[in-house]
């Protein structure tokens, strides 16, 4: 079963509120750039990316996530998927064992398979990834892919002790940590946890993020912050993969950030998504009742509807699709078996009657659970 | 030594005349799209690419290059480099032997190395790649990467008999032909040779092209036409590599083509580059003399200055760089040793005094040859 990211259907995961995007500001930035396009942007062959955008990203992640880097460590990528693929090209040899969270982002599995790696699934708990459990399960692993700020998709936040233990593991093993900070631009509750990268005094962490949710997925822009020693290898891998990102799109993004449009948009969306999350949790408790609990992590754009043990989440997702809704079965992101559930995106719920959507969801799945 | 594609220096290879680009039309297309951006473009997760752009590309290559395909076989890629990388992901197993032209595009070597393939270099002659020689050299190969319309970088055109022999080889071996048609939008002399893909009744040819020269390199858009049976494998590889191309850039390119701007731009540039090629060949004969012959294929945007046997092309390129010029040594694209030379891009010669640039080139390299 495929992820359907039809932006017109309620509960499609990973889709931000596109109607709330500041189209006029973005259009103005693009129009201005195209009135006098710099020749180097029309060529645009820097494999690390456009320097002003790398500076703006370094500043953004430094300020909001306590990431410690300078612009020379930032590579502009075509989204998180490409970041993971480049990591695999540079750091994975066929046969390597790689620690992954279970469940985890489904696109990671394809990258590991293509690189010939063996994914070692480590079940997450309420504190996310457990480094001690991981090391017991697979003592020889030297690469761990984690989502410490907002575990995908369960939403758990990894506490400080586990973060420090993971950094210690990497330092002892000469290993690497891939920190996928895919949606922490939107934190709705609790304290903003600093990035794991910012805690790592050993320089063993690669930090990746994306503009897919803070801007829009079709922009295809994200970033990868790598330790200085790995920069040349990533440059070589990028040249082989696709040379460089598009020059003008990067310049537009840099201007959008430098002029404060990005920051203002983030602030507006944080408030909007925070309210939407609250409304979803309230309405779900009221309409779906205690047997179908909905939980949402403290960040991001999705919640999870937990189905009763033994129910068929794929059948439930298909039934929801037949009712015009677009949740994703949790199993799409699971490496091993686990409690069934549906991922409910709430980024794109503007313009929908939430109660009506939840009632439709209930009537779709009721016969199946 | 690295390729310097500084667009401000004479003879930089692969750089089109960026000042002649119709900026106003492109800006209008972008502005119109951003006034009412369709939601599916802002999401833009079709790994094959935006359907209207795939249709426009299929129509363009069908009409101008006799490529036989429909839009469902077209994948929009981020330039030729990504096309080659996707080909390697789908068609190459570690240890495979792959037939390549010698010399050939330097970016191909990196892709083959990353895929664990062994490049089997087949020296080109005045008719380009020789399938009979290739089969004698490496009877077990099942993949051949060729530039039949305008051999890169020598400029040779592969005649019909060799094309048919190569197709026959692929059909007999169950092999695949990668036809890189990187710059045949600009043909200046001779008959426009149809693509090899269009001759292939066995469906063994993958055809790739790029907008880097017909539009501008920083656009990062190109295409890959694959046989229908390979489409699912390429879709899977693309999802793993970087999900999908940017939605709005593709929509702008589609509109630019549908509204005739692209065709009009190509016609203007064909005439302009044809005159520039003629001027370069004339001025080079006059200024560099018969001991430093300059040849240019019947298509494309570059010529070759052949250096005397035994001279050091890297030293010559470095000396030219020190004189503010940006030719590339031929050896950058050579798999084995061969006659030394410099690649002279003539796409970006607008605004330069050609005689002056050639005199500077002569005084730079004279002490070294």
């Amino acid at each position: 079963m495929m992820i359907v990211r039809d932006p017109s259907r309620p509960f499609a995961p990973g889709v931000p509120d596109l109607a709330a995007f500041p189209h006029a500001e973005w259009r103005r930035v693009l129009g201005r750039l195209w009135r006098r396009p710099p020749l180097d942007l029309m060529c645009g062959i820097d494999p690390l990316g456009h320097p002003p955008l790398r500076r703006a990203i370094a500043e953004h992640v430094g300020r909001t996530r306590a990431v410690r880097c300078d612009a020379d460590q930032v590579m502009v990528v075509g989204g998180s998927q490409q970041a993971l693929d480049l990591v695999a090209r540079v750091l994975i040899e066929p046969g390597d064992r790689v620690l992954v969270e279970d469940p985890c982002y489904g696109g990671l599995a394809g990258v590991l398979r293509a690189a010939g790696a063996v994914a070692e699934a480590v079940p997450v708990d309420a504190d996310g990834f457990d480094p001690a459990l991981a090391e017991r399960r697979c003592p020889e692993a030297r690469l761990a892919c984690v989502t410490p700020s907002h575990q995908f998709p369960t939403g758990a936040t990894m506490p400080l002790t586990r973060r420090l233990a993971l950094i210690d593991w990497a330092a002892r093993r000469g290993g690497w940590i891939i920190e996928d900070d895919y949606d922490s631009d939107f934190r709705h509750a609790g304290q903003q946890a600093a990035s794991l990268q910012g805690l790592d005094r050993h320089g063993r962490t690669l930090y990746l993020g994306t503009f897919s949710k803070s801007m829009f997925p079709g922009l295809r822009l994200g970033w990868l912050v790598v330790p200085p020693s790995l920069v040349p290898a990533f440059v070589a891998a990028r040249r082989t993969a696709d040379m460089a990102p598009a020059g003008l799109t990067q310049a537009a993004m840099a201007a959008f950030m430098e002029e404060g449009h990005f920051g203002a948009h983030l602030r507006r969306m944080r408030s909007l998504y925070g309210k939407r999350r609250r409304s979803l949790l309230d309405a779900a408790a009221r309409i779906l009742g205690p047997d179908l609990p909905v939980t949402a992590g403290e960040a991001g754009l999705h919640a999870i509807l937990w189905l009763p043990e033994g129910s068929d989440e794929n059948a439930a997702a298909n039934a929801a699709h037949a009712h015009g809704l677009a949740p994703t079965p949790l199993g799409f992101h699971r490496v091993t078996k686990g409690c069934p559930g549906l991922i409910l995106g709430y980024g794109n719920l503007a313009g929908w009657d939430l109660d009506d959507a939840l009632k439709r969801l209930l009537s779709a799945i009721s016969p199946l659970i």
Side-chain angles (χ1 to χ4, degrees), chain A:
Chain A
M1 131 143 239
M2 294 295 306
I3 285 192
V4 174
R5 201 154 61 175
D6 179 344
S8 66
R9 285 169 178 233
F11 305 130
V15 182
D17 187 337
L18 300 172
F21 183 74
H23 294 94
E25 280 79 3
W26 183 245
R27 193 169 68 235
R28 261 199 297 277
V29 166
L30 283 176
R32 202 181 53 221
L33 275 168
W34 272 106
R35 242 181 305 278
R36 284 166 205 256
L39 289 193
D40 62 333
L41 292 180
M42 291 188 73
C43 276
I45 52 155
D46 185 337
L48 276 174
H50 186 48
L53 179 56
R54 290 194 271 126
R55 285 193 291 273
I57 290 170
E59 194 277 326
H60 174 66
V61 298
R63 189 169 36 76
T64 63
R65 311 288 302 119
V67 170
R68 300 192 307 164
C69 69
D70 64 44
D72 294 339
Q73 291 170 255
V74 176
M75 174 174 273
V76 179
V77 295
S80 301
Q81 186 68 37
Q82 186 177 40
L84 293 171
D85 188 60
L86 291 168
V87 164
R89 283 170 182 264
V90 173
L91 297 180
I92 295 179
E93 297 290 332
D96 281 0
R97 283 152 179 260
V98 176
L99 299 167
V100 301
E101 300 169 329
D102 188 11
C104 69
Y105 166 56
L108 177 58
V111 164
L112 296 180
R113 210 176 313 122
V118 180
E120 294 286 345
V122 182
V124 298
D125 59 23
D127 286 339
F129 182 84
D130 181 347
L133 173 62
E135 194 165 4
R136 281 199 304 277
R137 288 217 167 182
C138 185
E140 68 269 45
R142 298 199 335 151
L143 186 66
C145 302
V146 293
T147 51
S149 297
H150 183 226
Q151 203 280 326
F152 184 83
T154 67
T157 303
M158 196 192 289
L160 184 63
T161 47
R162 284 196 180 179
R163 290 174 187 233
L164 294 173
L166 184 58
I167 292 166
D168 177 64
W169 164 84
R172 279 188 285 112
R173 299 271 317 140
W176 302 104
I177 301 164
I178 311 305
E179 178 178 18
D180 184 354
D181 208 20
Y182 64 102
D183 70 358
S184 47
D185 280 320
F186 302 116
R187 186 148 200 100
H188 312 303
Q191 214 184 324
Q192 176 69 295
S195 66
L196 192 150
Q197 194 270 5
L199 285 174
D200 176 6
R201 306 283 141 157
H202 301 281
R204 310 305 303 180
T205 305
L206 290 79
Y207 176 86
L208 64 97
T210 177
F211 290 115
S212 288
K213 294 176 186 70
S214 54
M215 293 285 289
F216 50 94
L219 184 64
R220 307 309 306 138
L221 280 183
W223 59 84
L224 181 57
V225 178
V226 306
S229 63
L230 292 179
V231 170
F234 274 89
V235 166
R238 185 66 191 269
R239 278 194 210 279
T240 300
D242 66 350
M243 294 280 266
L248 216 95
T249 311
Q250 295 183 81
M253 190 66 226
F256 202 71
M257 293 176 89
E258 286 159 6
E259 294 165 24
H261 302 304
F262 181 65
H265 175 53
L266 273 188
R267 283 189 296 278
R268 270 194 310 271
M269 298 313 283
R270 245 182 235 129
S271 151
L272 192 150
Y273 292 138
K275 285 180 201 144
R276 202 167 285 168
R277 171 179 175 276
R278 194 65 261 157
S279 305
L280 174 64
L281 293 176
D282 291 347
R286 183 162 38 80
I287 293 168
L288 304 180
D291 294 342
L292 289 171
V294 171
T295 63
E298 293 176 345
L301 295 179
H302 71 267
I304 296 182
L305 163 58
W306 298 97
L307 299 173
E309 202 68 57
S311 46
D312 181 341
E313 61 189 3
N314 289 332
N318 284 334
H321 282 253
H323 281 67
L325 309 169
T328 309
L330 206 50
F332 191 82
H333 301 288
R334 210 155 30 211
V335 187
T336 54
K337 271 185 93 69
C339 185
L342 295 177
I343 300 180
L344 306 182
Y346 57 82
N348 73 337
L349 286 179
W352 292 97
D353 182 319
L354 180 56
D355 283 17
D356 174 65
L358 284 167
K359 283 175 193 161
R360 269 198 281 158
L361 182 61
L362 182 61
S363 66
I365 64 176
S366 286
L368 297 162
I369 54 179

